[in-house]
Amino acid sequence: MKRTLGTCYYPEQWPTEIWADDARRMVAAGLTWVRIGEFSWSKLEPTPDDLQWDWLDHAIETLGSAGLKVVLGTPTATPPRWMLHRHPDMLAHDQDGQPRKFGSRRHYCFSHSGYREECARIATLMAQRYGQNPYVAAWQTDNEYGCHDTTISYSDAARSAFQGWLAHRYGTIKALNAAWGNTFWSMDYASFGDVDLPNLTVTEPNPAHSLAFRRFSSDQVVSFNRLQVDAIKAHSHAPIAHNYMGRITDFDHFAVGNDLEIASWDSYPLGFLEDRVGASAQRQRDFARQGDPDFQALHHDLYRAVGRGRWWVMEQQPGPVNWAPHNPVPLAGMVRLWTWEAFAHGAEAVCYFRWRQAPVAQEQMHAGLLRPDSVDARVMDEVKQVNREIEDAPDVVETQSPVAIIFDYDADFAWAVQPHGADLSYFGLVLHIYRGLRALGLSIDILPATTRDFTGYGLVLAPGLMTMADDLKSALGSNNAEVIYGPRSGARGDDMNIPTPLPPQIPNLDVTVTEVESLRPDITVPLAQGGTVTSYREVLDGTADVILRTMTGDPVVMRNGRQTYMGGWLDETALATLLKETCAMASIETLALPDGIRIRDTATERFWFNYTAQSVTCHGITLAPAGVARTKR
Ligand code: GAL
């Protein structure tokens, strides 16, 4: 498949007279896609029920007839001001119970039934009008669910929906009390109507209560999205996407993705570096203009799984953004590198956010492909270069990776409810392991925890899966791959309870976690084989072989046959030792890559990416700063 490029455009923000020239320049730059509409509700419906379609008809016609394919977004992330007159109680409430007010975006609670009806109404009207429009080639629902911390709301609407959700899940209040262990601290409830939201409690709420509320909040996103999908599908056959984000894990993206044809995500490598990656200050400095070498790739692989193979980058950073702690200009060549990295991981399309930098409002300081004065920004040359390269180079042919990591949003909820130590997170653990694998030159697939067929993988990792279904354990144990579990895999039952017999209870792996501890950053536990355990450690018992042990002889990693349990957060050195050894057992070839050099294998090629600002030669390949190379496999 030929990979394609696109951009995000806001015709409603610019004079009609310049649309045709913008469209012409998009085509000249080699762009195929233009995403529009997702923030345009006040222009579409300036006053209630007074629909103004003419401008959007004209915009779609102008863009489409110039040769572009339109991705049409539903405008539900930005309800207009009048919506609050209709539904004064539709706002989400923060943890302190305060409403999150009008004046920016995403000011709605996923549980508000009146607002849900408004969203279904506007999505239906749009789909009726444009569902058969030949230029509308795809849809986007809403914009970035969960952005600005909006998945969880402590509103009245959320409370009553949560009570209904609990009644459905537990059937009787007695069952809920038993499952949560509410007798502890006399927290028993007499009815579902007694159960409040888990905020503003004197000290921490029951973790079972918090986990249930997170699961409920996730389900609300899924059903909110489904309403729009149903509305669109009633009138259109075009594929529907949503644009997910980097390190937003508080709703189950696999569950949302199951209702959509395409997963897409918004990739801001420099924006993410300082506060989402969790990198040291030194690393943040080293990669300030390039972004973290593994963070984007992990999301590419994750969203390939969420999209069941079909995924895009819907928004690609093209220059400095406005919203990170610091907002540097990317190193020359990085926008090209980011684009090719997405293609190498299977992206069908990469769209740059945004077409022209806006001279007004919140994102004045956010770069676009054009400057505010409509002159091409410097990055335009890189975009044109990528376009020429797509034309000249062979297609990217995807293939199954040798290694898989199981990723489970529910595990992230459980870790968030009970991290057990400052800075411990499930996502952080997965990123750490992913990084360790990538440093060995490996290509990785991400799989949901519902996977039962692991055919073709040599190594499957199931770290941190707090709750593990029995049939997942048996599917992992009975396939031909090496499997690495832990830490915290199988550590909890369905309602956040410690199971007995004690975890992890993996068939044919005689390991029991008898005690756990979290560690200050200045305390580490050295291992006899080199490296350390940091931040989280489990005390292991059992007859399985000891693969890594502490200096004082305590087992840290244990193995029976092809199943290995990792009883702690291994540092980079210890993790590399374990991964190299396990890959060798699975006959998976590893290679040592210098820091900042990363590779990705497709069926026919090896892509090489230089995330550093220096020229680097390794394994016979010389890469310029921000360089990309392709070699035959
Ligand atoms: C994304 C969002 C866009 C825009 C962009 C700026 O999170 O979807 O609408 O705000 O960030 O970087």
Side-chain angles (χ1 to χ4, degrees), residues 112 173 231 259 285 364 382 399 420 422 472 621:
H112 191 273
I173 197 67
D259 289 330
R285 199 163 50 242
Q364 298 176 2
E382 285 184 43
T399 186
H420 198 54
L472 173 59
I621 309 278

Side-chain angles (χ1 to χ4, degrees), residues 39 105 143-144 243 266 268 315 321 323 353 363 366:
F39 299 131
R105 61 178 172 183
N143 189 77
E144 290 189 339
N243 56 334
D266 298 344
Y268 291 90
E315 299 179 13
V321 301
W323 45 264
F353 181 93
E363 292 176 355
H366 194 298

Side-chain angles (χ1 to χ4, degrees), residues 8-74:
C8 306
Y9 185 53
Y10 300 92
E12 70 276 18
Q13 298 174 11
W14 306 104
T16 320
E17 299 71 54
I18 71 173
W19 294 354
D21 198 47
D22 280 343
R24 182 191 60 73
R25 289 174 72 184
M26 288 176 199
V27 173
L31 307 186
T32 299
W33 297 96
V34 58
R35 184 197 62 177
I36 63 171
E38 81 276 12
F39 299 131
S40 67
W41 203 333
S42 71
K43 193 85 175 177
L44 282 176
E45 196 177 8
T47 54
D49 303 314
D50 166 28
L51 274 304
Q52 301 286 331
W53 300 112
D54 291 358
W55 71 270
L56 187 54
D57 293 350
H58 182 49
I60 293 173
E61 176 64 30
T62 306
L63 297 163
S65 60
L68 295 157
K69 295 185 188 180
V70 173
V71 181
L72 187 55
T74 62

Side-chain angles (χ1 to χ4, degrees), residues 499-523:
T500 48
L502 290 178
Q505 292 303 312
I506 292 160
N508 305 315
L509 176 58
D510 188 9
V511 174
T512 300
V513 177
T514 59
E515 211 176 353
V516 303
E517 63 171 351
S518 57
L519 299 166
R520 297 164 50 99
D522 52 3
I523 297 182

Side-chain angles (χ1 to χ4, degrees), residues 156-332:
D156 290 346
R159 182 193 304 108
S160 60
F162 181 49
Q163 291 168 348
W165 185 94
L166 291 172
H168 184 256
R169 179 175 169 101
Y170 293 98
T172 65
I173 197 67
K174 217 171 136 198
L176 178 148
N177 283 325
W180 291 9
N182 278 336
T183 302
F184 185 86
W185 289 357
S186 280
M187 296 178 294
D188 292 291
Y189 298 106
S191 72
F192 288 106
D194 277 353
V195 187
D196 209 331
L197 301 178
N199 64 327
L200 297 172
T201 50
V202 173
T203 183
E204 63 175 309
N206 186 335
H209 187 180
S210 300
L211 180 61
F213 183 54
R214 282 184 173 263
R215 288 173 172 164
F216 154 79
S217 301
S218 172
D219 286 356
Q220 295 303 89
V221 179
V222 177
S223 59
F224 181 93
N225 181 68
R226 189 172 299 149
L227 271 179
Q228 298 200 20
V229 170
D230 291 345
I232 296 168
K233 283 204 185 300
H235 304 283
S236 170
H237 297 301
I240 310 177
H242 176 73
N243 56 334
Y244 309 105
M245 304 178 69
R247 201 173 185 158
I248 293 291
T249 46
D250 46 22
F251 66 90
D252 186 342
H253 292 47
F254 290 112
V256 170
N258 286 339
D259 289 330
L260 300 169
E261 282 75 34
I262 301 172
S264 73
W265 82 289
D266 298 344
S267 179
Y268 291 90
L270 306 192
F272 297 141
L273 184 66
E274 283 183 284
D275 53 11
R276 293 211 201 166
V277 172
S280 66
Q282 171 73 43
R283 253 187 117 64
Q284 290 184 27
R285 199 163 50 242
D286 289 350
F287 292 102
R289 295 190 188 282
Q290 301 97 293
D292 181 82
D294 299 302
F295 193 79
Q296 288 69 245
L298 169 57
H299 287 86
H300 296 337
D301 293 340
L302 173 62
Y303 291 126
R304 190 172 63 251
V306 168
R308 300 177 308 284
R310 288 201 69 183
W311 74 279
W312 296 17
V313 173
M314 192 62 90
E315 299 179 13
Q316 172 62 64
Q317 173 170 5
V321 301
N322 61 302
W323 45 264
H326 305 92
N327 300 292
V329 172
L331 178 69

Side-chain angles (χ1 to χ4, degrees), residues 247 277-278 415-416 418-429 488 518-522 534-536 569:
R247 201 173 185 158
V277 172
W415 280 70
Q418 193 179 69
H420 198 54
D423 302 329
L424 288 174
S425 77
Y426 171 71
F427 188 93
L429 176 69
R488 291 193 110 177
S518 57
L519 299 166
R520 297 164 50 99
D522 52 3
T534 65
S535 54
Y536 188 83
W569 194 301

